[in-house]
Amino acid sequence: MIRRNSQPPGDNSGIVNYGAMGNVQNQPGATNSHQNQTNTGTGPDQLKEFTTLLDRIRQQLAADQDRVNDYQQCVILLDLTAQQHLDDTGGRSTARTMLEQILAKCDGVPGLVSLLSSALSLIATFA
């Protein structure tokens, strides 16, 4: 006779997960399995790095303003980006949208493209 809900032989019937990850749930009925979850959020070092990156973008925008479409609009978008709260989804989404708009206006200026891409990547790491 086969028992419904029987556990397989061995020491661990579930998945062993460690490290930073999204929300996790243990396998129903698992025995001797371990899962740790750390929601780190937006740390002060990440925020400082982002602020520094925005300053570098501002300097590069000024240096290449003759190669950027609508320099003044880019500066306004950058100022608004700096005001966003990156510890919530809405702030991250708004910041990402504004940086993407600046990226579209920079006409492939290599230094700006690199800095803006770095800022967008950093936003993606915030939890």
Side-chain angles (χ1 to χ4, degrees):
M1 177 171 149
I2 298 177
R3 291 183 5 214
R4 188 178 288 252
N5 297 333
S6 65
Q7 295 293 321
D11 293 335
N12 184 351
S13 69
I15 299 170
V16 178
N17 288 324
Y18 293 99
M21 65 187 99
N23 292 332
V24 296
Q25 180 177 344
N26 207 353
Q27 166 185 339
T31 59
N32 298 321
S33 66
H34 306 279
Q35 291 185 323
N36 289 340
Q37 175 180 332
T38 304
N39 291 332
T40 58
T42 309
D45 290 340
Q46 285 179 305
L47 290 175
K48 184 177 179 183
E49 183 179 352
F50 188 73
T51 301
T52 301
L53 199 48
L54 291 183
D55 289 341
R56 291 179 59 201
I57 292 170
R58 186 178 313 284
Q59 292 168 0
Q60 193 67 43
L61 268 173
D64 291 319
Q65 63 182 297
D66 58 326
R67 298 172 63 188
V68 174
N69 293 330
D70 201 354
Y71 168 74
Q72 289 301 323
Q73 181 66 28
C74 289
V75 170
I76 290 168
L77 288 169
L78 194 59
D79 289 342
L80 291 172
T81 301
Q83 296 172 14
Q84 299 307 306
H85 296 281
L86 300 178
D87 54 353
D88 69 67
T89 304
R92 286 190 300 275
S93 178
T94 302
R96 186 179 316 109
T97 299
M98 287 187 271
L99 289 173
E100 288 169 347
Q101 289 176 11
I102 297 170
L103 185 60
K105 294 178 180 292
C106 76
D107 273 346
V109 177
L112 271 173
V113 169
S114 177
L115 289 170
L116 289 163
S117 296
S118 294
L120 288 165
S121 294
L122 186 58
I123 288 174
T125 66
F126 293 158

